[in-house]
Amino acid sequence: MNVAYFINQYPKVSHSFIRREIHALESMGVQVHRFALRGWADPVVDAEDIQEQGKTLYVLQGGVKGLLWPLLVCLLQQPLAWWAALKLA
């Protein structure tokens, strides 16, 4: 099973409960993908948060250019799904 966590900013000290939940899922064999809008520039001091930061994909880290390329690839590879998702959004 695959699960995605989509969080505004991760990791943060106040998100230790999310980290524990993710680790519990992984201990049950669930593959967890971490996505955060931001959080790559804030200093992280906790060793576990440093590990989590390395496992997290930051959506806005690449700026607008970083968002446009995957959007174009998806449009070219799966145009019907892309238009359906756009319509739904």
Side-chain angles (χ1 to χ4, degrees):
M1 177 186 292
N2 287 301
V3 173
Y5 269 73
F6 186 74
I7 307 163
N8 181 39
Q9 187 173 355
Y10 185 75
K12 288 180 74 168
V13 172
S14 61
H15 290 159
S16 60
F17 69 97
I18 295 173
R19 185 182 66 219
R20 286 192 305 268
E21 188 173 287
I22 288 172
H23 290 183
L25 287 169
E26 289 177 329
S27 72
M28 296 186 317
V30 176
Q31 185 175 3
V32 180
H33 304 277
R34 300 142 174 89
F35 299 93
L37 289 176
R38 56 189 61 82
W40 63 89
D42 294 337
V44 179
V45 294
D46 183 76
E48 289 187 64
D49 283 342
I50 291 170
Q51 288 179 343
E52 288 298 302
Q53 195 173 39
K55 297 176 182 178
T56 303
L57 175 68
Y58 295 98
V59 176
L60 298 178
Q61 191 171 21
V64 173
K65 192 188 305 185
L67 293 174
L68 291 178
W69 180 249
L71 186 67
L72 179 62
V73 169
C74 183
L75 174 62
L76 294 174
Q77 289 180 346
Q78 299 176 333
L80 295 178
W82 189 92
W83 286 107
L86 182 64
K87 182 179 174 184
L88 184 63

